[in-house]
Amino acid sequence: MNVTSKTIYAIVALVELAKQENECLKGSVIAKKYGIPRRFLELTLSELKIHGLVDSKKGANGGFFLIKRPEDISLYDIINITERELNIFDCKKFIDKHGCDMLGIFDELNEEIILVLKNVTLKDILKKAERFYGSLSFII
C-alpha cells in the first residue's frame, strides 16, 4: 500500500495546525502554502473533524484547530482515517488463503508495521521537521 495524497495532505495539515498552538488556521491558507487543492484539503479536514482530531470555528478569525495534543495523535490514527486498507502484505488478495504458506509471516509483518505507526506521533513529526528545517516559523 502506498498512502494516497489524502493521507499526505492530512499529515501536512495536522503539522501546520500543531504549529499554531491552539490558534485557528483556515484550510485555504494551508492549501495555498503547499499547493494543495483547497476543496480537497477542506474535505480531508472535515473528515479529521468527524473522527475527533480537529475542530473548526466559523467567522473571520475562524478555521481549523487541533483538539488533541500532538503527542496523542499517531500516524496510525491518521492513516486509519484516510486510507481504506492498512495491510501492506496481503497475500490473500493474490493467492488462495489456503495456498499461501507465507500468511502467518505476512500477518506478523503487518502487525509490526502497525505498531511502528502507532508509536510515531504528530509531535515526533514536528521534532523531525525542526531537525530538517531548523527552527519552524509559527507565522504564516
Side-chain angles (χ1 to χ4, degrees):
M1 166 195 87
N2 287 331
V3 295
T4 61
S5 57
K6 184 177 188 179
T7 297
I8 300 299
Y9 297 161
I11 293 168
V12 166
L14 290 168
V15 165
E16 288 297 317
L17 294 176
K19 291 188 313 187
Q20 295 305 304
E21 297 182 359
N22 300 319
E23 296 292 322
C24 288
L25 184 60
K26 293 189 184 311
S28 60
V29 172
I30 299 169
K32 185 175 181 182
K33 179 176 181 180
Y34 290 96
I36 299 170
R38 182 187 59 81
R39 183 71 181 130
F40 187 62
L41 180 62
E42 288 175 349
L43 288 171
T44 302
L45 285 165
S46 294
E47 193 169 348
L48 295 173
K49 179 179 177 178
I50 290 167
H51 287 88
L53 298 186
V54 303
D55 203 351
S56 62
K57 184 172 118 181
K58 295 185 185 232
N61 295 322
F64 291 91
F65 57 94
L66 288 181
I67 56 175
K68 283 186 158 185
R69 298 177 313 167
E71 57 268 26
D72 295 331
I73 300 172
S74 71
L75 276 180
Y76 175 82
D77 297 331
I78 301 164
I79 294 170
N80 197 36
I81 292 167
T82 58
E83 299 295 334
R84 291 184 189 156
E85 181 64 48
L86 281 174
N87 283 334
I88 304 295
F89 300 101
D90 188 5
C91 70
K92 294 176 289 215
K93 200 183 251 183
F94 307 105
I95 302 171
D96 179 340
K97 69 178 179 179
H98 300 294
C100 185
D101 296 334
M102 300 291 291
L103 183 61
I105 293 169
F106 288 140
D107 286 345
E108 190 174 307
L109 288 169
N110 284 326
E111 288 173 19
E112 289 180 30
I113 291 166
I114 287 172
L115 184 62
V116 168
L117 294 173
K118 285 181 176 181
N119 285 308
V120 176
T121 67
L122 193 56
K123 184 174 182 176
D124 297 328
I125 295 170
L126 282 166
K127 285 181 185 177
K128 288 181 189 299
E130 287 175 354
R131 277 202 323 263
F132 282 114
Y133 304 110
S135 178
L136 292 174
S137 170
F138 294 116
I139 301 170
I140 295 182

